[in-house]
Amino acid sequence: MLTYDISKKGKMSAYQYLYHLIKNDILDGKLLSDEKLPSKRSFANHLGISVVTVMNAYEHLLSEGYIYTIPRKGYFVVPIRTQRKTDFKDIRPQPEKEVRPDFDFSGNRLNGGKFPFSVWSRLMRKVLLDYENQLLEPLPYNGAEILREAICKYLYHNSGMNVSPQQIIIGAGTEYLYTLIIQLVGKDKIFALENPGYNKISKIYGMNNVKTEFVQVDKKGLNAGDLRNSKADVVHISPSHHYPTGVVMPVDRRNEILNWADEKNGYIIEDDYDSEFRGAQRTNTLFSTDKNERVIYLNTFSKTIAPSMRISYLILPSHLLERYRERLNFLSCTVPSFEQYTLAYFINEGYFERHITRMKKYYNQCKNKVKEIIENSVVRDKIEIVENMSGLHFIMKINTEKSDDEVVSLLNKEGIGVKFLSQYIHTAGGSYQHRMIINYAGFNIKHLENALEKLNNII
Amino acid sequence: MLTYDISKKGKMSAYQYLYHLIKNDILDGKLLSDEKLPSKRSFANHLGISVVTVMNAYEHLLSEGYIYTIPRKGYFVVPIRTQRKTDFKDIRPQPEKEVRPDFDFSGNRLNGGKFPFSVWSRLMRKVLLDYENQLLEPLPYNGAEILREAICKYLYHNSGMNVSPQQIIIGAGTEYLYTLIIQLVGKDKIFALENPGYNKISKIYGMNNVKTEFVQVDKKGLNAGDLRNSKADVVHISPSHHYPTGVVMPVDRRNEILNWADEKNGYIIEDDYDSEFRGAQRTNTLFSTDKNERVIYLNTFSKTIAPSMRISYLILPSHLLERYRERLNFLSCTVPSFEQYTLAYFINEGYFERHITRMKKYYNQCKNKVKEIIENSVVRDKIEIVENMSGLHFIMKINTEKSDDEVVSLLNKEGIGVKFLSQYIHTAGGSYQHRMIINYAGFNIKHLENALEKLNNII
């Protein structure tokens, strides 16, 4: 009879251990197909364990299909067809190394040290006390009501936007929300994207297999004539601040694009990702100007609070809200309740507004300081600073015979990161050479002069 | 000359107020197209404010395109094409009312009161102290390393899965991860889904416009012969516990499906969503059994911790990991760092394992209690309980002449929620009538007897 030493079971229960031993013998082929197992009673006697223990082990093997039973005959080993091992290249996962440059002219980082972290953590503790177990309750698909209300109040007072909390959909980052928008307006639509523009945006549209067309950005933002000549039904723009050119779309261009959407029955996706940090006062959003429900508004707290804060939101016009409720409300909200409540407190108690005000001032100081250093540095005669009333970056034209690619690769060799406007161009058209993007928001100013010297040696 | 009362500016700065007044007059048509604005100096004198204030207001209007300038001539109003208001149905967003039944036989809730919330909030405070500002730093695209390591250790000790933290991708819920899987294996593939099965899963595949085929679930789970006869390249299954039938896939069927994937060069998506709560010990995962990199493993903490906890993860075989890094690592991680660190502590300090053990015991008690109440209730002669070694539900066959739809609608009228297995059927085939789904995990047992009486009156 099968013999096992159950005393070696360690921390396992006797039945678990027995189950394991038998299973392994089946898998190793020590117990053959259709071989009969000992009867429960005699096996229990043989091993010095209880009948119940053997029964539990058999039941478990039975439920997993390792053995089968024939009434009044007993238990038998199932003929196991094991998976054949086919040939394939054995690629063990390699750890990735993220190479971070010593200094980055165009890095996407923010200065985390300026965030009122002690306030945030106090509010987190308050949320823990106030909500307790409720934190574990599932949230509505569109996010916590308290947060949607807080956002509405904030927008009303700071952007003159008058929207209802019902119109807001909270989601884990703009990238995720792009995919919801595509679902909402339809995958069969053609999407116009800004050229130059964020590579990530076109990647996400590409990932979702929707057709896109690039439309040129001129000095007033996306060219409305070109948009009219395109096949697009939907346009994705950042009118309050275009990246990377920094263009702020003037009101006449905005109206042209709104008129286009009306005539076409199309949609405008208004990506307002860092409008809070515009130098001067904020412009009216397209969403507020729109009278015909053509605009979908999109914003995020990743830029205003922290990149690790994955909270973004959509504001939908009424008929799209109805459509969202019909088609997409089966999707659970992707942001944890805890973060939503904390952010709601942060906005409602006025900390968010104060933080924005403080950061605008701070970033303005950074900009002036960075400009001053550049304008007094060794490269001063080979550059020109082009500034719009833009968010957290400006453009620095450089005078060089070298191509942008060459400059990038030579600077990278020196441990310096940089991006040029030309790297954001998707299709030919427009002259964008020699325009460096200076993202001063996350600068370590101490290393700037050194980096400028290296740049000077290269150009 | 234009006259405004700047003393009414309230809390605004003088330039902001002036900007607003002029802008509104342009939009209202009080200032006409191409009308010349007063010179800065004379306007300043006239209004009793500084020239700088007027200049700032003009600059702002200029940057937003409300006015234009002709050198040595002055500032003029831009001809504004305002958006035409077209006719459309004015649908104001209606607040939604969520109707929650008084009692739900098949509700998807868990008992939140059993979660060690005081431990969780202590760990949250610990994370705040330990990580401070680091919480604001962006995370790697695949999630916090400490969490990926914690999951690996947990899986190693509790599921016998030996995977590297590199293979794990953290994401905000399984629904989001499904869409990543589709990206990864290819939208051109045909996906086999379980019939019956979760409606949400087929909805998400539908949303992503991929072709799906339903394959019948029999007593051993997804029918491998039918799978072989289908056109599918990829199959989505829950072998450790199928919903709603509760079937646990035996090892021979598992091997058949693994062999199918090998021959087809296809993929198996192993959705292990509540395997932790299986009655007996856990079966080996398909992922561990697989020798040829055909299995993508998927699990979530929504069932084991709380539905509001939007943390799920993928485990990828090596070649798909490479593909992920090539194609999808531009997507930011969708889960906040704070939740990730807290969960890592919760797992690493052993609380997760203890919680699972306690909940298994508790749910088992629930199940026995619920069964006992049912078996002693007024319906006892009209029902039969069908139990697999399944997660948090069982099936109750009822003997009635009424159709499932009728029973659902009559119970709903009494304020009682219920779902039948037949509601999970996507295509014809198999007899699934009269099988109620009893999700006892979130039951309010006090109301069970009353609900059973109402059921008895109906059937």
Side-chain angles (χ1 to χ4, degrees):
Chain A
M1 195 181 293
L2 262 178
T3 304
Y4 298 117
D5 184 358
I6 303 294
S7 72
K8 288 187 181 151
K9 68 185 176 65
K11 284 183 179 174
M12 281 192 197
S13 68
Y15 102 82
Q16 282 177 342
Y17 189 58
L18 182 60
Y19 153 83
H20 268 292
L21 294 169
I22 300 175
K23 184 177 93 174
N24 288 340
D25 281 355
I26 293 173
L27 289 173
D28 293 349
K30 289 179 192 158
L31 285 164
L32 301 172
S33 295
D34 302 313
E35 182 170 342
K36 188 178 184 300
L37 291 176
S39 80
K40 283 178 278 192
R41 190 163 309 268
S42 58
F43 204 19
N45 281 336
H46 180 67
L47 299 177
I49 55 180
S50 77
V51 176
V52 173
T53 301
V54 177
M55 197 179 74
N56 282 339
Y58 280 11
E59 284 293 322
H60 196 181
L61 289 163
L62 204 60
S63 80
E64 293 189 349
Y66 288 101
I67 61 175
Y68 63 97
T69 176
I70 302 174
R72 283 185 302 274
K73 296 241 170 165
Y75 295 88
F76 302 86
V77 175
V78 165
I80 306 283
R81 275 164 288 185
T82 53
Q83 192 193 17
R84 288 182 301 272
K85 166 116 180 146
T86 56
D87 282 331
F88 73 96
K89 221 170 69 209
D90 186 25
I91 320 164
R92 281 299 101 199
Q94 292 299 318
E96 290 164 295
K97 275 182 216 143
E98 202 201 335
V99 186
R100 208 183 283 177
D102 305 328
F103 181 84
D104 197 339
F105 280 111
S106 322
N108 201 12
R109 307 207 147 226
L110 301 176
N111 191 330
K114 296 284 161 187
F115 184 74
F117 189 70
S118 57
V119 169
W120 186 260
S121 59
R122 182 170 61 73
L123 294 176
M124 278 182 151
R125 285 190 293 269
K126 192 160 178 264
V127 167
L128 279 173
L129 290 171
D130 290 356
Y131 283 88
E132 289 185 326
N133 271 332
Q134 245 187 290
L135 286 174
L136 304 173
E137 291 279 312
L139 284 179
Y141 69 91
N142 51 356
E145 192 166 12
I146 183 175
L147 175 59
R148 289 182 284 114
E149 278 171 1
I151 291 173
C152 286
K153 271 183 247 162
Y154 175 80
L155 290 176
Y156 183 75
H157 290 293
N158 296 277
S159 313
M161 288 176 79
N162 195 352
V163 300
S164 138
Q166 301 286 335
Q167 290 175 271
I168 294 187
I169 311 279
I170 307 283
T174 44
E175 300 162 10
Y176 172 70
L177 292 177
Y178 293 159
T179 64
L180 295 188
I181 293 174
I182 295 169
Q183 296 298 329
L184 205 57
V185 303
K187 296 199 154 209
D188 51 323
K189 297 288 185 292
I190 299 174
F191 290 73
L193 306 182
E194 295 165 323
N195 181 47
Y198 254 123
N199 298 324
K200 222 177 205 183
I201 294 175
S202 65
K203 269 188 176 176
I204 289 170
Y205 283 103
M207 197 178 103
N208 282 281
N209 274 13
V210 293
K211 282 190 195 144
T212 55
E213 265 191 50
F214 288 104
V215 173
Q216 207 60 23
V217 171
D218 62 28
K219 279 176 184 163
K220 289 181 165 189
L222 192 97
N223 187 299
D226 290 357
L227 177 62
R228 211 170 275 279
N229 292 331
S230 78
K231 294 198 186 96
D233 313 288
V234 185
V235 61
H236 186 132
I237 47 176
S238 322
S240 74
H241 171 221
H242 174 256
Y243 195 87
T245 64
V247 169
V248 179
M249 191 181 279
V251 73
D252 59 333
R253 179 63 60 84
R254 286 164 183 254
N255 283 322
E256 280 183 82
I257 291 179
L258 282 168
N259 284 339
W260 165 85
D262 288 350
E263 285 162 26
K264 189 100 184 182
N265 243 328
Y267 290 106
I268 300 165
I269 301 164
E270 180 177 23
D271 197 339
D272 213 21
Y273 73 103
D274 74 349
S275 58
E276 289 84 357
F277 290 133
R278 281 206 44 218
Q281 194 154 330
R282 293 180 69 174
T283 326
N284 275 343
T285 57
L286 275 180
F287 189 92
S288 310
T289 319
D290 173 33
K291 299 191 184 86
N292 298 319
E293 305 205 357
R294 306 324 314 167
V295 182
I296 298 166
Y297 180 89
L298 183 71
N299 206 338
T300 179
F301 293 95
S302 299
K303 285 273 173 191
T304 43
I305 293 186
S308 69
M309 168 68 48
R310 306 308 301 166
I311 307 189
S312 302
Y313 60 95
L314 287 181
I315 307 179
L316 298 177
S318 293
H319 76 282
L320 287 183
L321 179 63
E322 302 277 318
R323 199 181 290 170
Y324 195 100
R325 288 174 180 175
E326 278 163 36
R327 296 190 196 166
L328 297 175
N329 71 1
F330 72 93
L331 293 169
S332 311
C333 184
T334 42
V335 182
S337 51
F338 186 69
E339 253 75 13
Q340 297 197 40
Y341 296 135
T342 309
L343 179 57
Y345 282 16
F346 192 71
I347 298 173
N348 284 340
E349 299 187 13
Y351 294 110
F352 183 65
E353 198 177 333
R354 259 170 275 167
H355 173 58
I356 295 291
T357 309
R358 203 165 39 231
M359 291 312 283
K360 267 165 91 160
K361 206 169 155 187
Y362 168 74
Y363 286 137
N364 205 35
Q365 286 165 351
C366 285
K367 184 170 68 178
N368 292 336
K369 183 83 190 150
V370 167
K371 275 168 66 178
E372 192 193 313
I373 293 174
I374 293 176
E375 281 162 351
N376 289 303
S377 76
V378 285
V379 292
R380 64 179 176 272
D381 299 328
K382 301 175 191 162
I383 61 107
E384 183 196 337
I385 288 175
V386 189
E387 200 198 334
N388 284 293
M389 291 166 67
S390 61
L392 306 177
H393 79 282
F394 58 78
I395 300 286
M396 182 168 89
K397 283 195 206 168
I398 59 170
N399 197 350
T400 178
E401 308 256 296
K402 293 207 169 67
S403 75
D404 290 355
D405 286 351
E406 276 179 280
V407 179
V408 169
S409 115
L410 290 168
L411 276 174
N412 285 352
K413 275 184 199 149
E414 301 276 353
I416 296 171
V418 67
K419 275 195 178 141
F420 280 86
L421 216 147
S422 54
Q423 294 171 271
Y424 289 85
I425 293 176
H426 300 285
T427 55
S431 163
Y432 292 107
Q433 280 285 305
H434 302 156
R435 283 161 168 82
M436 266 174 75
I437 296 166
I438 312 292
N439 280 350
Y440 50 81
F443 261 18
N444 188 340
I445 281 191
K446 277 184 289 184
H447 298 127
L448 176 59
E449 273 185 84
N450 186 259
L452 289 168
E453 272 169 34
K454 285 180 178 159
L455 174 65
N456 187 52
N457 295 337
I458 287 167
I459 64 177
Chain B
M1 193 181 296
L2 263 178
T3 303
Y4 299 119
D5 183 359
I6 303 294
S7 70
K8 288 186 179 152
K9 69 186 177 63
K11 282 183 180 172
M12 280 192 198
S13 69
Y15 104 80
Q16 283 177 343
Y17 188 56
L18 182 60
Y19 153 82
H20 268 293
L21 295 169
I22 301 175
K23 185 177 93 174
N24 289 341
D25 281 354
I26 293 173
L27 290 174
D28 291 351
K30 290 179 193 158
L31 285 165
L32 301 173
S33 294
D34 302 313
E35 183 171 341
K36 186 177 183 305
L37 292 175
S39 81
K40 282 177 280 191
R41 191 164 307 269
S42 57
F43 203 20
N45 280 336
H46 181 66
L47 300 176
I49 55 179
S50 77
V51 177
V52 173
T53 302
V54 178
M55 197 179 74
N56 282 340
Y58 280 9
E59 284 293 322
H60 196 182
L61 289 163
L62 203 61
S63 81
E64 292 189 350
Y66 288 102
I67 61 174
Y68 62 96
T69 177
I70 302 176
R72 282 184 304 273
K73 297 240 172 164
Y75 295 88
F76 302 86
V77 175
V78 164
I80 305 283
R81 275 164 288 187
T82 52
Q83 192 191 18
R84 289 182 298 273
K85 166 114 180 150
T86 56
D87 282 332
F88 73 96
K89 222 171 67 206
D90 186 26
I91 321 163
R92 282 299 99 197
Q94 294 298 317
E96 291 164 296
K97 275 181 214 144
E98 202 201 336
V99 187
R100 208 182 283 177
D102 304 329
F103 182 84
D104 197 340
F105 280 112
S106 322
N108 200 13
R109 308 207 145 226
L110 301 175
N111 191 330
K114 296 283 162 188
F115 184 72
F117 189 71
S118 56
V119 169
W120 186 260
S121 58
R122 182 169 61 72
L123 294 177
M124 279 182 152
R125 285 190 293 269
K126 192 159 178 266
V127 167
L128 279 174
L129 289 172
D130 291 355
Y131 283 89
E132 291 185 324
N133 271 331
Q134 245 187 289
L135 287 174
L136 305 172
E137 290 278 312
L139 285 179
Y141 69 92
N142 49 358
E145 192 167 13
I146 184 175
L147 176 59
R148 288 181 285 113
E149 277 170 3
I151 292 172
C152 286
K153 271 183 248 161
Y154 176 80
L155 291 176
Y156 183 75
H157 290 294
N158 295 277
S159 313
M161 287 176 81
N162 194 351
V163 300
S164 141
Q166 302 286 335
Q167 290 174 272
I168 294 187
I169 312 280
I170 307 282
T174 45
E175 298 163 9
Y176 172 70
L177 292 177
Y178 293 159
T179 65
L180 294 187
I181 294 174
I182 294 169
Q183 294 300 328
L184 205 57
V185 304
K187 295 199 153 208
D188 52 323
K189 298 285 185 294
I190 299 174
F191 290 72
L193 306 182
E194 295 165 322
N195 181 47
Y198 255 124
N199 297 324
K200 221 178 206 183
I201 293 175
S202 66
K203 270 189 176 176
I204 289 171
Y205 282 102
M207 197 178 105
N208 282 281
N209 273 12
V210 293
K211 284 191 195 142
T212 54
E213 266 190 50
F214 288 104
V215 172
Q216 209 59 23
V217 170
D218 61 29
K219 280 178 185 162
K220 289 181 165 188
L222 191 98
N223 187 299
D226 290 357
L227 177 62
R228 211 170 274 280
N229 291 332
S230 78
K231 293 196 188 101
D233 312 287
V234 185
V235 61
H236 187 132
I237 47 176
S238 321
S240 74
H241 170 222
H242 174 256
Y243 196 87
T245 64
V247 169
V248 178
M249 190 180 279
V251 72
D252 58 334
R253 178 64 59 85
R254 287 165 181 251
N255 283 321
E256 280 183 82
I257 291 179
L258 282 168
N259 285 337
W260 164 85
D262 288 348
E263 285 162 25
K264 188 101 184 183
N265 243 328
Y267 290 106
I268 300 164
I269 301 164
E270 180 176 25
D271 197 340
D272 212 22
Y273 73 103
D274 74 349
S275 58
E276 288 85 356
F277 290 132
R278 283 205 47 216
Q281 192 155 331
R282 293 180 70 175
T283 327
N284 275 343
T285 57
L286 275 181
F287 188 92
S288 311
T289 319
D290 172 32
K291 298 189 184 87
N292 298 319
E293 306 205 354
R294 305 324 315 168
V295 182
I296 298 167
Y297 179 89
L298 182 72
N299 206 338
T300 179
F301 292 95
S302 301
K303 285 273 173 192
T304 43
I305 293 185
S308 69
M309 168 66 49
R310 306 309 300 167
I311 307 189
S312 302
Y313 59 95
L314 289 180
I315 306 180
L316 298 177
S318 293
H319 76 282
L320 287 183
L321 178 63
E322 302 276 318
R323 199 180 291 172
Y324 195 100
R325 289 175 179 174
E326 277 164 35
R327 296 190 197 166
L328 298 175
N329 71 3
F330 72 95
L331 294 168
S332 311
C333 184
T334 42
V335 182
S337 50
F338 186 70
E339 252 75 13
Q340 296 197 40
Y341 295 135
T342 310
L343 179 56
Y345 282 16
F346 192 72
I347 298 172
N348 284 340
E349 298 186 14
Y351 294 111
F352 183 66
E353 197 176 335
R354 260 170 274 165
H355 173 60
I356 294 292
T357 309
R358 203 166 39 233
M359 292 311 285
K360 269 166 90 160
K361 204 167 156 188
Y362 168 73
Y363 286 137
N364 205 36
Q365 285 166 351
C366 285
K367 184 170 69 178
N368 292 336
K369 182 82 190 155
V370 167
K371 277 169 65 177
E372 192 193 312
I373 293 174
I374 293 175
E375 281 162 352
N376 290 302
S377 75
V378 286
V379 291
R380 63 179 177 273
D381 299 329
K382 300 175 192 161
I383 61 105
E384 183 196 338
I385 288 173
V386 189
E387 200 198 333
N388 284 294
M389 292 165 68
S390 62
L392 307 177
H393 78 280
F394 58 78
I395 301 287
M396 181 168 89
K397 282 194 207 171
I398 58 170
N399 198 350
T400 178
E401 307 256 296
K402 292 208 170 65
S403 76
D404 290 355
D405 287 349
E406 277 178 279
V407 177
V408 169
S409 114
L410 290 167
L411 275 174
N412 285 351
K413 274 184 199 149
E414 301 275 353
I416 295 171
V418 67
K419 275 195 177 141
F420 279 86
L421 216 148
S422 54
Q423 293 171 271
Y424 290 86
I425 292 176
H426 300 283
T427 54
S431 163
Y432 291 107
Q433 280 286 305
H434 302 152
R435 284 162 167 81
M436 268 174 73
I437 297 167
I438 311 294
N439 279 351
Y440 50 81
F443 261 19
N444 187 340
I445 281 190
K446 277 185 289 185
H447 298 125
L448 175 60
E449 272 184 86
N450 186 260
L452 289 168
E453 272 169 34
K454 286 180 177 159
L455 174 67
N456 187 53
N457 295 337
I458 288 166
I459 64 177

